[in-house]
Amino acid sequence: SAVISQKPSRDICQRGTSLTIQCQVDSQVTMMFWYRQQPGQSLTLIATANQGSEATYESGFVIDKFPISRPNLTFSTLTVSNMSPEDSSIYLCSTGGNTEAFFGQGTRLTVV
Amino acid sequence: LAKTTQPISMDSYEGQEVNITCSHNNIATNDYITWYQQFPSQGPRFIIQGYKTKVTNEVASLFIPADRKSSTLSLPRVSLSDTAVYYCLVGDLNYGQNFVFGPGTRLSVLP
């Protein structure tokens, strides 16, 4: 199993600013994933982050808006850039084992 | 990735068995079926996974018919703490765990 720690757990940010969310895993993992979950909705995959390569973004998400870093096998960051109220959401990171995925607790972001 | 269809919501009473069925008509040969549970303000948590027939663990059972076009998550004797959203996911584990989440089933357990 893997334990994932996300920071911050929540934040309130001004529009036009950026927030970087950190995701720390207690073991080395190849793949890490970033999701967005809007209130009352399901999860939407933003991107896949592999160590040593550029992140792969899903349709509707771009690197300029959601830059991702993956400096090593236990850590990743997601930045939400030039935020607007529409970016208010919960952002979750996850990683996959051979049989199951593990998720962080999420970062609740409110943009005002 | 195979698309899944689940009931949007279900109600049950404490002590009852709950069965949530998921349709995945386009499931591929290498796809596994995985169920996750999510409580408010928490990330999804793995419940059970299977490929075919029946799988049982300490919290649930998963029934998968021979054609694998559907699956049923069975929760025995639910309690109030089982109130959560349950997601059925289908995917090839060889491509990692980047799942496409459907809307899930919101289960409400009543006293």
Side-chain angles (χ1 to χ4, degrees), chain B residues 7-23:
Chain B
I8 293 299
S9 64
M10 293 181 68
D11 291 337
S12 181
Y13 291 95
E14 281 192 289
Q16 289 187 332
E17 178 184 75
V18 171
N19 296 309
I20 306 174
T21 297
C22 177
S23 296

Side-chain angles (χ1 to χ4, degrees), chain B residues 17-108:
Chain B
E17 178 184 75
V18 171
N19 296 309
I20 306 174
T21 297
C22 177
S23 296
H24 27 80
N25 292 319
N26 296 324
I27 190 168
T29 302
N30 294 332
D31 286 346
Y32 279 72
I33 301 155
T34 312
W35 285 79
Y36 284 81
Q37 175 192 56
Q38 186 178 28
F39 297 113
S41 301
Q42 294 188 24
R45 184 179 70 171
F46 174 90
I47 301 175
I48 198 166
Q49 184 179 82
Y51 184 79
K52 61 180 179 181
T53 63
K54 177 184 175 181
V55 179
T56 297
N57 62 22
E58 62 276 10
V59 297
S61 294
L62 178 60
F63 299 91
I64 305 169
D67 66 4
R68 302 199 329 121
K69 293 183 181 299
S70 67
S71 60
T72 299
L73 173 72
S74 181
L75 304 172
R77 297 181 298 280
V78 295
S79 64
L80 296 176
S81 62
D82 292 317
T83 294
V85 178
Y86 292 82
Y87 295 100
C88 163
L89 303 171
V90 174
D92 185 342
L93 301 183
N94 291 321
Y95 288 93
Q97 301 281 351
N98 54 335
F99 293 117
V100 175
F101 279 78
T105 297
R106 188 173 300 274
L107 173 65
S108 298

Side-chain angles (χ1 to χ4, degrees), chain A residues 3-52:
Chain A
V3 176
I4 299 177
S5 301
Q6 264 188 254
K7 288 193 296 186
S9 58
R10 59 177 62 228
D11 207 343
I12 301 174
C13 301
Q14 296 290 325
R15 67 179 66 198
T17 63
S18 297
L19 175 71
T20 295
I21 302 168
Q22 300 180 2
C23 181
Q24 179 75 51
V25 187
D26 68 345
S27 58
Q28 294 186 338
V29 294
T30 303
M31 290 181 160
M32 293 181 72
F33 309 96
W34 287 96
Y35 290 85
R36 182 172 72 183
Q37 185 173 29
Q38 301 191 316
Q41 303 295 314
S42 184
L43 286 77
T44 300
L45 181 65
I46 297 172
T48 300
N50 293 335
Q51 195 269 337

Side-chain angles (χ1 to χ4, degrees), chain A residues 34-110:
Chain A
W34 287 96
Y35 290 85
R36 182 172 72 183
Q37 185 173 29
Q38 301 191 316
Q41 303 295 314
S42 184
L43 286 77
T44 300
L45 181 65
I46 297 172
T48 300
N50 293 335
Q51 195 269 337
S53 63
E54 294 284 333
T56 302
Y57 290 83
E58 299 299 309
S59 176
F61 298 96
V62 295
I63 187 172
D64 290 345
K65 176 67 175 178
F66 298 100
I68 289 171
S69 78
R70 184 78 203 276
N72 57 53
L73 291 173
T74 64
F75 188 78
S76 179
T77 68
L78 169 76
T79 299
V80 186
S81 304
N82 188 25
M83 289 184 284
S84 66
E86 291 72 34
D87 295 319
S88 296
S89 190
I90 299 170
Y91 294 85
L92 301 102
C93 67
S94 81
T95 185
N98 289 331
T99 58
E100 63 184 277
F102 304 95
F103 289 83
Q105 294 287 78
T107 297
R108 183 180 295 272
L109 170 63
T110 302

